[in-house]
Amino acid sequence: MIEVLMTGLGIAALFAVISLWYWEDGVKTLVLAMAGYFCLYAVASALLFWLDAFSIRKALGIVTFCGLLGMLVLRWNHWHTFLQIRFPWRKYGILLLILAAALPFVWQKHEFFGMGQDEGVYQTQAINLMYGVTDRQLDLPEYQDLETEEEKLDFYEMAKIRFLGFYTTTEFGEFPGFSADEFISPVSGIFHGIPNLPALLALSGKIGGGISHMSDIQTLFWGCALFFVYAVGQNLKWKKGTQVLTVALSAMSPVVLWVTKSALAEPFLIMLISGFLYFLTEGRRWSTMGAAAAIITFSWFHVTAFIYLPIAALLFFLLFIRTSRRESLLSGIASMIGFGIGITMMAQVSPRYTYMNLSYSLYRILPFMTDQNCIPIVWAVVLFGIVIFASFYRKQWRERLDLILSDGWGSRLTRGFLILWCAYEVFALFRLRGQIGGWNALHEFSALSFVYLTGVLLLPVGLFSMLKNPRKIWEDEKKLLIGLFALYSVLFNSAFLTPRVTEYYYYARYLAPYIPVALLAVGMYLDSWKAGIKAAFLGISLALLAPFEYHLLTQIDDTHMTWEVVEDLAESIGKNKVILVDHEEMRMLYFPLRAMTDSKIYLREGELSDQAKHYADSGSTVYYVSSGRYAVKPAEGTPVYQQTYQASLDYADQDGRFIPLPLHYTQEERKVTLYRCAESEVLTYSMASRDFPLWGFGEIEEGKRWIESEEATIVCQLERKDYRMIIRADELPERVWQGEHRIQVLINEIPVGEIVWKDRSETEFSLQIPKESLAGGQTFLTIKTQLWPASMVTEADPRQLGLKLESIIFQPMIEE
């Protein structure tokens, strides 16, 4: 509830700020406020992860505070203008109809994948963040609990095989600025990816009320992206037919629908790129700062920012040359600085992921770059770019360059670039054909993938139109910006970064952010066409894509386990138990159940009854999650939960003949059963709990409580048997220690013994409680100890304190 209130308050504050500039369009203001809020949240999350201090509420607090501060400062003398805000819904009627028609295709999301690929890793980390597991580096503490080296080796090998996407130092070595000494244990590590995407998913889950709602926010990003595509058409003063064509195909492209149903980064990236183009073509004073904000957010969110910075900087530069507006220059400089800080942050927060992705792409293009010199080179390039931008502030230099660009050279360069690109792609296609065969080459060739994913017809027509009339791109700065961005991002990406797509509903996601860009570029040429021709193109394109869109409407992908099963398991188990899991299921259940139940999770090995008894003897109730691979005898466990569910996965199926997209997923019925194997008779009363009455204690501090009365009492439920009582406490401050400390214990107001504390470093004490002192049932345990003034340690603290307790444990004594 708090997350809902903070998010709503923050968006309302940003709405109040943005409406100062967009008061005539409250619809646009609302979209900008929502998109802006989550961009700020992504940046604030990245900053907190950099400091290793993240929590959802901290990130929300930072963003909401900034929004409220901005509202108070900027709105102080302008509150009356709220009455001037207008909501021109009719202006967006076509867009709303397209959104309403397309919404059912993205409404049902993929469910839980588990560790093994990006989506599952992001889901897993989002669950951790929702349940307060926010450390940048995570340890697997069960490893240290195991008693033999053989058990530890088995656990380590399991983690290496099953936790793909969890990078440990023993597996991948060291990186600049991050040494092996910083790792907690051989199995501690860092999740794949920049964690502000899981932070967004976690926020969505908190707002929606559970882990099953974490991907709901993707629909919002998708809707905002389509709004920006529509608004770009308005900026370019396109006809309605052109806007319908570009927005509808952007919305209904199968890969765009697929990523919107997933927990992947691409919907947010599509929103950022579409927003960048919207601000770039808006034409208002200082609107380029909105474009810069999109690039900076990208640079703090995803490592592929290095792809976009060169073209973004170039577009800001060209806009400055064409318009002489200094805000374009400042936007370019701000983008470069933000990019440098963002890459530096990513290299610290997730070094393995960052350097691995750079080695796959940037290092191949610039082979002199390495992990060791990458960050210095990035900052050198940033500083060089700033110098270039500053040097062209002189008017005569701008006039000379503008003369060159407007003298036909631009259109000649465009046509020459397109011809060279076409020649290279033909060569690359024949090379790929020789490697994998003709039909497969046509299916997997990235340049053709753009054609398939946009309905087959439009991109070939657009490419032919550009070759025939490249001058159209150079007619005005808005078309120039769209055209150059499309040429760079689509052509460069298909030629060098993603030249081959082997599995569309995974690797084609890298093309998804460019789909609206390509369609906007084609739209510049189609706008002068007759409405009937555009309608025919749209109808044929949607008809060709219809089988794949229907498939996405009716089925879900990437589901190893349903959210319902994960939530039911956690609820059935409760808190602070021991859970045994088979090797194969650890990839799905280890991290979620650990976060949701605060339990220890071990591999099921050997005889189930022996293993369960071992952990029960240590004071824990033991559960076993079974997928049915191994039989469980009635004596070994009692079923407490059972569910049958359907897994649904795309195994690179390409049922489509000409368009190589799946028309079915591989579906499998699976069953999970939860057994209670052994119930511990050990009773633990943790001071972090609020589940039992007590008095004479202070509030919970770091999972512990101070005794604040000479007599402190806990209400326990004890049977009439002999117990060994264990008190776990913090050592007393050195200033307070007087050689020894006496602790008297009373049961139902009758003294049963005294503990004499003689060693200050000792933190665990035991006392035998005879069954004769117990009546069975409700039992009042009282601890009498002398108090000392807290001001001896903290001057301003007025309390009188005794011991700082962690827990009190009752272990039944074994009768001989």
Side-chain angles (χ1 to χ4, degrees), residues 1-12 37-38 56-57 60 64 203-209:
M1 189 63 177
I2 293 175
E3 289 80 8
V4 176
L5 292 174
M6 293 178 73
T7 302
L9 183 61
I11 291 174
Y37 186 86
F38 291 112
I56 294 174
R57 291 182 182 178
L60 287 175
T64 302
L203 174 59
S204 178
K206 282 286 190 180
I207 292 172

Side-chain angles (χ1 to χ4, degrees), residues 439-673:
W439 191 248
N440 288 333
L442 290 174
H443 277 176
E444 298 182 9
F445 195 54
S446 182
L448 291 176
S449 300
F450 280 105
V451 174
Y452 304 141
L453 296 172
T454 53
V456 179
L457 301 179
L458 285 185
L459 291 197
V461 171
L463 180 61
F464 176 78
S465 300
M466 282 187 185
L467 282 167
K468 182 181 178 182
N469 182 21
R471 190 179 293 274
K472 191 174 188 66
I473 294 176
W474 297 81
E475 287 179 351
D476 61 59
E477 60 266 15
K478 292 181 181 180
K479 292 179 181 177
L480 177 63
L481 298 171
I482 295 290
L484 291 184
F485 191 84
L487 287 172
Y488 173 86
S489 57
V490 176
L491 305 188
F492 178 73
N493 183 80
S494 61
F496 299 106
L497 294 179
T498 314
R500 182 181 173 189
V501 179
T502 55
E503 183 180 343
Y504 273 75
Y505 285 162
Y506 184 73
Y507 292 109
R509 66 192 175 97
Y510 299 123
L511 310 183
Y514 312 112
I515 297 295
V517 178
L519 291 168
L520 285 171
V522 174
M524 293 189 299
Y525 286 90
L526 268 58
D527 192 48
S528 59
W529 290 16
K530 292 181 179 180
I533 297 176
K534 286 184 280 192
F537 267 79
L538 176 61
I540 295 171
S541 297
L542 290 177
L544 290 171
L545 296 175
F548 311 102
E549 292 161 348
Y550 178 76
H551 168 68
L552 290 167
L553 174 67
T554 57
Q555 298 186 44
I556 59 172
D557 195 5
D558 283 359
T559 299
H560 277 293
M561 183 173 284
T562 63
W563 291 120
E564 180 187 10
V565 169
V566 178
E567 291 176 318
D568 287 352
L569 285 172
E571 185 177 349
S572 300
I573 290 168
K575 296 288 186 180
N576 299 306
K577 305 296 193 299
V578 165
I579 308 170
L580 304 178
V581 178
D582 292 329
H583 199 290
E584 294 83 355
E585 275 66 48
M586 286 291 271
R587 61 182 294 273
M588 289 180 288
L589 295 176
Y590 176 83
F591 289 107
L593 291 185
R594 203 175 199 300
M596 298 169 77
T597 68
D598 294 321
S599 298
K600 294 289 185 73
I601 301 178
Y602 298 95
L603 273 171
R604 185 229 159 136
E605 296 180 302
E607 289 293 328
L608 178 59
S609 56
D610 293 341
Q611 195 177 12
K613 184 179 184 302
H614 170 76
Y615 291 114
D617 289 345
S618 302
S620 300
T621 300
V622 182
Y623 287 88
Y624 168 50
V625 182
S626 170
S627 61
R629 289 186 177 89
Y630 307 102
V632 178
K633 300 174 185 176
E636 292 179 320
T638 303
V640 295
Y641 170 80
Q642 189 173 81
Q643 182 65 272
T644 300
Y645 65 95
Q646 191 172 66
S648 182
L649 297 160
D650 163 34
Y651 289 111
D653 298 314
Q654 295 182 354
D655 303 297
R657 294 296 176 260
F658 177 65
I659 299 177
L661 297 174
L663 283 174
H664 86 283
Y665 297 140
T666 301
Q667 296 180 333
E668 177 187 351
E669 191 173 86
R670 297 179 181 176
K671 185 169 74 173
V672 63
T673 306

Side-chain angles (χ1 to χ4, degrees), residues 409-430:
W409 282 102
S411 59
R412 294 190 188 98
L413 287 171
T414 302
R415 179 179 283 127
F417 177 77
L418 285 171
I419 292 171
L420 286 174
W421 177 81
C422 289
Y424 175 81
E425 290 293 336
V426 169
F427 166 75
L429 178 59
F430 275 96

Side-chain angles (χ1 to χ4, degrees), residues 11-69:
I11 291 174
L14 283 182
F15 180 91
V17 172
I18 296 169
S19 62
L20 285 167
W21 289 271
Y22 294 93
W23 59 268
E24 77 285 357
D25 193 338
V27 179
K28 183 181 292 184
T29 302
L30 180 60
V31 173
L32 291 175
M34 290 189 296
Y37 186 86
F38 291 112
C39 286
L40 288 172
Y41 176 83
V43 172
S45 299
L47 178 61
L48 289 170
F49 281 115
W50 200 357
L51 300 173
D52 206 6
F54 175 81
S55 76
I56 294 174
R57 291 182 182 178
K58 282 180 188 176
L60 287 175
I62 292 171
V63 180
T64 302
F65 173 78
C66 291
L68 291 171
L69 182 63

Side-chain angles (χ1 to χ4, degrees), residues 50-122:
W50 200 357
L51 300 173
D52 206 6
F54 175 81
S55 76
I56 294 174
R57 291 182 182 178
K58 282 180 188 176
L60 287 175
I62 292 171
V63 180
T64 302
F65 173 78
C66 291
L68 291 171
L69 182 63
M71 181 180 70
L72 291 174
V73 171
L74 297 174
R75 273 282 181 186
W76 187 255
N77 293 319
H78 301 281
W79 298 107
H80 62 283
T81 59
F82 266 123
L83 300 176
Q84 299 175 357
I85 300 174
R86 300 291 180 263
F87 288 86
W89 293 106
R90 289 186 179 180
K91 180 180 176 182
Y92 300 101
I94 293 174
L95 172 64
L96 293 174
L97 287 173
I98 294 172
L99 286 172
L103 188 60
F105 292 86
V106 299
W107 190 259
Q108 189 180 24
K109 306 298 186 186
H110 301 169
E111 302 206 32
F112 188 48
F113 187 90
M115 300 295 287
Q117 54 103 302
D118 299 40
E119 181 174 11
V121 176
Y122 300 148

Side-chain angles (χ1 to χ4, degrees), residues 260-454:
T260 306
K261 292 163 71 72
S262 76
L264 292 163
E266 276 67 27
F268 192 72
L269 301 182
I270 297 171
M271 183 187 76
L272 291 177
I273 292 172
S274 302
F276 168 75
L277 294 176
Y278 161 71
F279 281 113
L280 211 59
T281 58
E282 189 182 30
R284 292 188 183 218
R285 291 299 302 267
W286 296 102
S287 62
T288 53
M289 293 305 290
I295 293 297
I296 292 169
T297 304
F298 200 122
S299 301
W300 283 63
F301 183 78
H302 203 269
V303 71
T304 54
F306 74 87
I307 299 172
Y308 294 97
L309 182 72
I311 187 62
L314 175 64
L315 296 183
F316 285 128
F317 181 73
L318 290 177
L319 198 57
F320 176 60
I321 297 297
R322 284 292 184 94
T323 65
S324 298
R325 290 182 178 176
R326 63 175 180 172
E327 58 264 27
S328 301
L329 190 72
L330 295 174
S331 298
I333 292 173
S335 297
M336 289 186 283
I337 294 173
F339 168 78
I341 298 173
I343 290 292
T344 304
M345 176 276 297
M346 286 188 268
Q348 291 292 317
V349 170
S350 189
R352 168 64 185 169
Y353 164 82
T354 302
Y355 288 118
M356 177 180 66
N357 277 275
L358 292 174
S359 69
Y360 291 162
S361 49
L362 187 61
Y363 297 177
R364 287 166 53 193
I365 300 170
L366 304 173
F368 59 86
M369 293 189 70
T370 64
D371 292 348
Q372 285 66 37
N373 64 24
C374 176
I375 299 302
I377 289 177
V378 164
W379 277 106
V381 171
V382 167
L383 294 174
F384 178 74
I386 292 172
V387 170
I388 294 295
F389 269 55
S391 65
F392 271 84
Y393 194 72
R394 296 178 61 183
K395 187 175 181 180
Q396 62 267 31
W397 287 30
R398 296 202 306 274
E399 289 176 346
R400 292 173 186 170
L401 187 57
D402 191 34
L403 182 64
I404 294 171
L405 293 175
S406 61
D407 196 29
W409 282 102
S411 59
R412 294 190 188 98
L413 287 171
T414 302
R415 179 179 283 127
F417 177 77
L418 285 171
I419 292 171
L420 286 174
W421 177 81
C422 289
Y424 175 81
E425 290 293 336
V426 169
F427 166 75
L429 178 59
F430 275 96
R431 183 176 58 187
L432 184 61
R433 180 177 178 272
Q435 295 171 354
I436 63 175
W439 191 248
N440 288 333
L442 290 174
H443 277 176
E444 298 182 9
F445 195 54
S446 182
L448 291 176
S449 300
F450 280 105
V451 174
Y452 304 141
L453 296 172
T454 53

